[in-house]
């Protein structure tokens, strides 16, 4: 038997997940809309300017722009790179804790 809260979550998420290409209130958010997790954004990046600002969906970083490596937190100070690019950044634990793990998007083929 499923716990009541899990069943409720499944019932609430089912319509949003079934409409993958339609804009929703929780998922498929456009650039500039408020978000809590990158998974909510069409772009795949939920970005905040600083620790006190609200997070909004933003485009992924292009080549030679500042970036963050993919994170488990789901909200970024610098967006991850566009598809096909890699973020050349400090990927150490210290970098992620001190929020200094920013780098530049680069084409791995270069």
């Amino acid at each position: 038997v499923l716990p009541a809260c899990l069943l409720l979550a499944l019932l609430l998420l089912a319509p949003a997940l079934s409409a993958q290409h339609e804009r929703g209130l929780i998922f498929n958010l456009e650039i500039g809309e408020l978000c809590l997790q990158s998974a909510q954004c069409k772009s795949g990046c939920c970005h905040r300017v600083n620790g006190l600002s609200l997070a909004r969906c933003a485009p992924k970083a292009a080549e030679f722009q500042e970036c963050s490596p993919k994170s488990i937190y789901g909200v970024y100070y610098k967006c991850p790179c566009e598809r096909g690019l890699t973020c050349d950044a400090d990927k150490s634990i210290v970098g992620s804790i001190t929020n200094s793990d920013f780098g530049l998007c680069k084409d791995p083929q270069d």
Side-chain angles (χ1 to χ4, degrees):
V1 177
L2 289 174
C5 61
L6 181 59
L7 185 59
L8 180 61
L10 289 173
L11 289 173
L12 292 174
L13 288 176
L17 294 175
S18 67
Q20 290 277 330
H21 299 292
E22 295 178 22
R23 187 192 164 283
L25 295 174
I26 299 173
F27 292 103
N28 291 320
L29 300 177
E30 300 289 340
I31 302 295
E33 292 189 279
L34 293 173
C35 55
L36 295 173
Q37 286 283 331
S38 290
Q40 294 178 276
C41 303
K42 281 184 180 180
S43 67
C45 179
C46 186
H47 171 267
R48 68 172 13 147
V49 176
N50 59 49
L52 300 176
S53 65
L54 296 173
R56 295 182 178 274
C57 294
K60 287 198 172 176
E63 191 169 12
F64 305 118
Q65 287 186 330
E66 282 190 299
C67 59
S68 290
K70 293 252 181 197
S71 161
I72 59 170
Y73 303 117
V75 177
Y76 297 95
Y77 289 103
K78 307 286 182 191
C79 286
C81 299
E82 294 173 340
R83 180 174 289 178
L85 301 176
T86 58
C87 187
D88 186 19
D90 173 16
K91 294 181 176 123
S92 70
I93 295 292
V94 174
S96 63
I97 291 171
T98 61
N99 200 24
S100 63
D101 59 345
F102 305 133
L104 290 178
C105 291
K106 294 184 179 178
D107 186 341
Q109 304 297 324
D110 290 343

